[in-house]
Amino acid sequence: MTSPDKASQETITGVRVWVPGKLFSFTCTRPTGFRFTAGQFARLGVNNTLVIAGEPDVIWRAYSMVSGPYDEHLEFFSIVVPDGAFTSHLSRLKVGDPIWVDKTNFGFLTTARFESGKHLWLLGSGTGLAPFLSILLDPDTWNKFETIVLVHSARTVEELVYQDQIQQFTGHPLMSELVPNLAERFRYIPVVTREKAPNCLNERITTLLANGELSEVTGLTLDKADSRFMICGNPEMVTDLRNTLKIMGFSPARRNTPGEVAVENYW
Ligand code: FAD
C-alpha cells in the first residue's frame, strides 16, 4: 500500500467518456519530478468517499500511462467495473477533483526488454491499449524500431477508442517532426471480435497470428531476428497469445535472457 508521503495529490483536468458506464479516459496534473518510461504504470489513489466497507480511506490501483513521457499532463484510460471499489469512485470524478498519484513509477513493459529487433508488434485488448499509446508517443521507440504495428482488439466497434488520435498519429505535430517517414513506419490494425465491422479484422489476435493474416495485412514476416512482441490486457488473452507465440518459436524476454515477447496482465 502506498503511504501518503510517497504520493502526491493531483487534480483532474479532463474527462472523456468513450462508452457511457463502460469506458472513459481522464487527464490530471503531473506530479513535479514524476518521470516514467513509456509502457510503465502509475499507482493511483481515490478517496473512499462512497465509504465502501472493507476498503481503506484511499483505494489504490495500478494504471498504465497513456500519455507520452514528455507530455505535460498524465492521461489514463479506464474500464468501469460494475461495483468495482476503485472504478466506482474513479468514474465519478470530475474536472477539478483530486486524485492521488504515487511518485514512483512501476513496471517492465518497456522496450528496454529487447536488445534488438526491427519490427515492434503491440498487441492489446480492451484497456490494454493504454501503454501502447504511450510507447508510440516516445521518440526513443522509433529510434529503436523500423516499423511499429499497433493491433487493438475490442469486442465492439464503439470500444475501439482513441480513433482520432490513432488515425491522425502520423500527422502528430511533434512525432511527425521527430520521426522520419512516420507514415510508412506505422501500421494500425483494429480488431473487433463480437460483431462484423468494416475495415477491421474479425478474429481473435491468436488466430490472426497463427493463420498468417496479420503478417499478410502488414506485409511483415514474423521471425526471431526481426519481430518483437508486447502484449497487454486480460490474463486469458495474454496467456493464449504467449502460448501461440511460443508454438511459433518466440520466447519470453526475461532479465538476463534475451527474448522476443514481453507481457503485462491487468488482473
Ligand atoms: P477490481 O476489484 O480491481 O477488479 C474486479 C474485476 O474487474 C477483476 O477481477 C477483473 O475481472 C475485472 N477488471 C479489472 N480491471 C479490468 C480492466 N482493465 N478491463 C476489464 N476488466 C477488468 N485498468 C484500466 O482500466 N486501465 C489501465 O490502464 C490499467 N492498467 C493496469 C496496469 C497494471 C500493471 C495492472 C496490474 C492493472 C491495471 N489495470 C488497469 C486494472 C486496474 O488496476 C483495476 O483492476 C481496475 O481499475 C478495476 O478496479 P476496481 O477496484 O474497480 O475492480
Side-chain angles (χ1 to χ4, degrees), residues 41 59 61-65 77-79 81 83-88 127 130-131 264-267:
F41 63 91
I59 305 168
R61 290 289 184 275
Y63 267 78
S64 302
M65 258 75 69
F77 168 41
S78 184
I79 184 94
V81 175
D83 299 322
F86 187 83
T87 52
S88 294
T127 50
E264 186 150 87
N265 279 312
Y266 270 5
W267 65 92

Side-chain angles (χ1 to χ4, degrees), residues 46-257:
V46 289
N47 295 324
N48 186 1
T49 49
L50 299 172
V51 201
I52 298 182
E55 295 291 342
D57 291 346
V58 179
I59 305 168
W60 292 94
R61 290 289 184 275
Y63 267 78
S64 302
M65 258 75 69
V66 167
S67 37
Y70 303 108
D71 284 338
E72 224 172 274
H73 61 275
L74 295 178
E75 180 166 347
F76 302 96
F77 168 41
S78 184
I79 184 94
V80 183
V81 175
D83 299 322
F86 187 83
T87 52
S88 294
H89 286 93
L90 192 70
S91 58
R92 284 175 163 85
L93 293 182
K94 299 181 298 301
V95 171
D97 284 344
I99 183 156
W100 294 97
V101 180
D102 191 317
K103 291 180 214 157
T104 314
N105 53 25
F106 300 90
F108 301 101
L109 189 70
T110 68
T111 60
R113 296 279 290 279
F114 305 123
E115 286 175 2
S116 59
K118 257 194 198 167
H119 309 305
L120 179 64
W121 294 79
L122 304 173
L123 311 175
S125 71
T127 50
L129 171 69
F132 298 149
L133 294 176
S134 183
I135 286 171
L136 286 173
L137 286 170
D138 184 359
D140 277 356
T141 318
W142 295 94
N143 293 336
K144 257 182 120 164
F145 293 94
E146 214 171 271
T147 317
I148 304 183
V149 184
L150 172 66
V151 183
H152 183 214
S153 165
R155 287 172 305 179
T156 60
V157 175
E158 69 171 359
E159 292 176 9
L160 280 180
V161 298
Y162 281 101
Q163 282 301 303
D164 45 358
Q165 188 168 315
I166 296 170
Q167 300 289 356
Q168 290 159 26
F169 178 67
T170 55
H172 186 284
L174 186 66
M175 298 306 289
S176 59
E177 198 187 307
L178 291 178
V179 181
N181 307 318
L182 183 60
E184 291 101 85
R185 297 170 62 193
F186 176 59
R187 318 276 159 82
Y188 168 55
I189 314 289
V191 177
V192 171
T193 52
R194 299 248 177 111
E195 60 187 23
K196 288 271 170 240
N199 306 318
C200 297
L201 299 181
N202 292 116
E203 304 269 10
R204 296 172 70 221
I205 306 179
T206 36
T207 309
L208 297 168
L209 268 177
N211 70 11
E213 215 171 327
L214 279 181
S215 184
E216 201 183 306
V217 293
T218 55
L220 298 174
T221 310
L222 299 180
D223 63 45
K224 250 175 122 69
D226 293 340
S227 315
R228 298 294 176 268
F229 303 89
M230 298 177 101
I231 308 172
C232 186
N234 76 67
E236 198 188 318
M237 169 261 191
V238 171
T239 304
D240 288 354
L241 266 175
R242 198 170 21 194
N243 290 339
T244 302
L245 287 168
K246 191 175 170 195
I247 293 165
M248 294 170 79
F250 299 101
S251 350
R254 297 214 171 92
R255 203 182 293 207
N256 303 326
T257 317

